[in-house]
Amino acid sequence: MFRSEYADVPPVHLPIHEAVLGRAAEFGDAPALIDGTDGTTLSYEQVDRFHRRVAAALAEAGVRKGDVLALHSPNTIAFPTAFYAATRAGATVTTVHPLATAEEFAKQLGDSAARWIVTVSPLLDTARRAARLAGGVREIFVCDSAPGHRSLIDMLASTAPEPAVAIDPAEDVAVLPYSSGTTGTPKGVMLTHRQIATNLAQLEPAIDAKPGERILAVLPFFHIYGLTALMNAPLRKGATVVVLPRFDLETFLAAIQNHRITGLYVAPPIVLALAKHPLVAQYDLSSLRYVISAAAPLDADLAQACARRLNLPPVGQAYGMTELSPGTHVVPLDAMRDAPAGAVGKLIAGTEMRIVSLDDPGKDLGPGESGEILIRGPQVMKGYLGRPDATAAMIDPDGWLHTGDVGHVDDDGWLFVVDRVKELIKYKGFQVAPAELEALLLTHPGIADAAVIGVYDDNGNEVPRAYVVRQPNAAGLSEGEVLMYVAERVAPYKRVRQVAFIDTVPRATSGKILRRELRERT
């Protein structure tokens, strides 16, 4: 068993709105949220006051403890107000992908039994159709304004009393994000107030925001990574969050320059852009002090190339998953220059880990041996909503969550994630990690992006197939050239056997490759 080097932290037995905004009065007029496109700014005092008024209006509208409210919005400076208002009113927030179809949204509404929706006017048609399909939705609110719908702006004028809801942080579910569905049917992940609040405290000794820091929020708040790293964590400590609704490279770079961003939390595709895109050279990014990447594997060479170009310490990584609230590992800010290349971090406070054999799950492995990563700690989810069997398959009777990720630990406690158990390709008995081949393919100057999955050949052998996006200046790149490039650099059993050229690699908003979509093409 591997244990964190940090001292345990006591559980944070508070509702999430109190855990995050409990010091808002202390931070007062300091900017909490800035719209990165038009500069609109909310102070800590305003966020605190606004969320309390909206909570009062929600309670007056009929929101009660135990209700589920679907928050369906891109990143805006209104998103945190809506989120904390709903939890203060006693509701559980289920966060919805803003690009979800009406049918996908309806499934989540039905599964979560959501009775309320908060959306934005550009997405209102989708929300209305989803509500009709699902049934049971009492009212749709909007963050901005739309005829026939109450808006959060109007709700700020509410004179209703602030709701006094008795919340049990250990048992009551604060947020119900849905797993990405990259390996199966999306499931509601029940995260209690105490689990997500305690995870914030667990992360603090290793990676802590401070007043005066400026964090750029371009990864989505609806995803647990964005919700934690870009909303809850910085607002808990008095930092300023500059909000962008989506990733556009020019807008992103301009926001870093104009708002003097100090810290970036990103996914690998953004690291790739920072390392390789010519636009980067046109902007002053000298305010940056660190870059952290998570949500998907990051190649060590790519991380170093990005750091060299930005004149920063090596890009740090973090590791976790929605079912873990989400963090378990991070490269500490004070150790970014010392972390071995490719490490996803060290165990955060109060967290235990085992590495178990893939062939004999009851056998624990030591440093340097690769196996499935198991995690135990106060951040482990309450379970999957309405799916006790799936919960039991994920969390064993001793409280260990089986991540489905394969990795190993070195003698100094650094974790290296090799791949997903279900994504490993078994070529004639040998295990081939897609992430390793993807990282290698990205080193080819003619390849802009790549993904690898296992497919079966005519002989029934599972073989690696690469899906490759050519660089704009490499239209002549051939299958044979790609096959040879990999073959010269890996053991024979790891060779890519098939190549397909595509326009874009399908990815979740978090940056994870949607291998399921690639499999559907085969």
Side-chain angles (χ1 to χ4, degrees):
M1 188 187 301
F2 301 91
R3 298 179 185 275
S4 174
E5 299 171 4
Y6 295 100
D8 286 353
V9 296
V12 179
H13 200 74
L14 291 171
I16 189 59
H17 44 274
E18 294 291 352
V20 173
L21 297 177
R23 296 174 65 190
E26 176 187 335
F27 302 132
D29 291 334
L33 296 156
I34 299 175
D35 185 315
T37 57
D38 66 14
T40 303
T41 301
L42 296 180
S43 69
Y44 272 89
E45 186 277 332
Q46 287 175 309
V47 173
D48 190 37
R49 177 161 47 91
F50 290 177
H51 97 275
R52 292 172 185 271
R53 284 295 85 217
V54 174
L58 289 174
E60 188 178 38
V63 175
R64 296 291 180 263
K65 180 180 177 180
D67 283 358
V68 176
L69 179 147
L71 185 46
H72 172 236
S73 171
N75 286 8
T76 71
I77 58 172
F79 191 110
T81 295
F83 182 90
Y84 301 126
T87 61
R88 185 172 285 279
T92 294
V93 177
T94 187
T95 50
V96 183
H97 196 312
L99 298 182
T101 65
E103 291 73 19
E104 290 168 331
F105 190 177
K107 284 181 182 178
Q108 186 168 336
L109 290 172
D111 190 72
S112 64
R115 304 179 71 196
W116 313 90
I117 296 173
V118 174
T119 188
V120 291
S121 56
L123 302 179
L124 191 51
D125 285 346
T126 300
R128 286 172 175 155
R129 294 205 313 275
R132 286 196 298 270
L133 288 169
V137 173
R138 287 185 53 180
E139 187 169 353
I140 301 174
F141 307 101
V142 292
C143 292
D144 43 4
S145 62
H149 293 271
R150 280 194 276 185
S151 80
L152 267 60
I153 298 168
D154 297 334
M155 294 163 86
L156 295 176
S158 171
T159 57
E162 185 179 309
V165 180
I167 291 173
D168 180 352
E171 292 297 326
D172 292 342
V173 177
V175 62
L176 187 69
Y178 273 68
S179 58
S180 65
T182 53
T183 56
T185 304
K187 298 176 284 292
V189 179
M190 296 187 290
L191 301 176
T192 67
H193 290 265
R194 188 170 77 178
Q195 283 161 352
I196 55 176
T198 300
N199 195 230
L200 296 173
Q202 290 177 287
L203 289 160
E204 279 182 16
I207 185 163
D208 195 13
K210 295 178 177 61
E213 282 204 49
R214 293 194 159 218
I215 306 299
L216 185 56
V218 68
L219 295 182
F221 289 148
F222 81 82
H223 188 275
I224 192 65
Y225 177 17
L227 192 76
T228 292
L230 301 177
M231 192 176 93
N232 289 336
L235 293 179
R236 174 178 164 88
K237 302 308 291 284
T240 299
V241 180
V242 178
V243 182
L244 292 177
R246 66 190 63 84
F247 179 73
D248 169 80
L249 185 58
E250 287 193 69
T251 307
F252 174 77
L253 295 170
I256 298 172
Q257 173 181 279
N258 299 338
H259 294 281
R260 307 304 293 160
I261 299 299
T262 57
L264 288 180
Y265 292 83
V266 297
I270 297 178
V271 179
L272 180 64
L274 288 171
K276 292 192 172 186
H277 203 286
L279 265 179
V280 174
Q282 299 177 24
Y283 291 84
D284 175 10
L285 309 184
S286 60
S287 60
L288 287 175
R289 295 196 291 107
Y290 62 88
V291 179
I292 298 285
S293 178
L298 177 66
D299 173 55
D301 291 338
L302 179 59
Q304 290 172 340
C306 177
R308 283 194 301 271
R309 190 175 194 194
L310 300 180
N311 194 29
L312 288 175
V315 175
Q317 292 198 64
Y319 172 76
M321 57 195 305
T322 306
E323 291 85 347
L324 290 164
S325 301
T328 68
H329 292 72
V330 68
V331 175
L333 288 182
D334 61 5
M336 293 181 77
R337 294 190 186 277
D338 304 322
V344 300
K346 288 190 172 186
L347 280 166
I348 63 172
T351 307
E352 300 172 310
M353 176 177 63
R354 292 165 57 202
I355 306 291
V356 300
S357 169
L358 298 176
D359 299 318
D360 180 4
K363 180 183 177 183
D364 283 271
L365 304 176
E369 298 179 287
S370 287
E372 185 181 5
I373 301 164
L374 275 54
I375 298 290
R376 187 166 66 181
Q379 69 269 55
V380 172
M381 68 171 177
K382 186 174 183 177
Y384 290 121
L385 177 68
R387 290 174 169 82
D389 291 346
T391 302
M394 191 76 165
I395 305 170
D396 68 28
D398 294 321
W400 291 100
L401 184 141
H402 295 241
T403 67
D405 285 323
V406 181
H408 64 267
V409 180
D410 72 9
D411 290 330
D412 296 317
W414 294 101
L415 176 66
F416 299 80
V417 177
V418 179
D419 223 306
R420 293 285 298 166
V421 169
K422 292 181 181 178
E423 291 171 357
L424 285 172
I425 300 165
K426 282 284 191 78
Y427 176 72
K428 295 186 177 179
F430 292 102
Q431 294 180 341
V432 180
E436 181 183 356
L437 293 174
E438 287 155 3
L440 174 58
L441 288 162
L442 286 176
T443 65
H444 190 291
I447 294 176
D449 204 357
V452 176
I453 63 169
V455 299
Y456 287 92
D457 65 13
D458 294 338
N459 297 319
N461 293 316
E462 189 178 26
V463 299
R465 171 186 282 177
Y467 287 85
V468 170
V469 180
R470 296 182 178 100
Q471 291 280 13
N473 60 356
L477 181 66
S478 68
E479 178 180 15
E481 194 174 342
V482 174
L483 293 173
M484 184 60 69
Y485 185 80
V486 176
E488 291 174 348
R489 291 165 174 82
V490 298
Y493 72 89
K494 292 184 181 179
R495 290 177 182 173
V496 170
R497 310 286 163 165
Q498 300 176 12
V499 176
F501 292 99
I502 55 176
D503 293 330
T504 57
V505 171
R507 294 181 185 272
T509 312
S510 63
K512 288 182 180 176
I513 295 170
L514 296 173
R515 300 183 200 278
R516 171 173 44 82
E517 290 190 13
L518 293 174
R519 291 190 186 98
E520 289 170 358
R521 301 185 187 195
T522 59

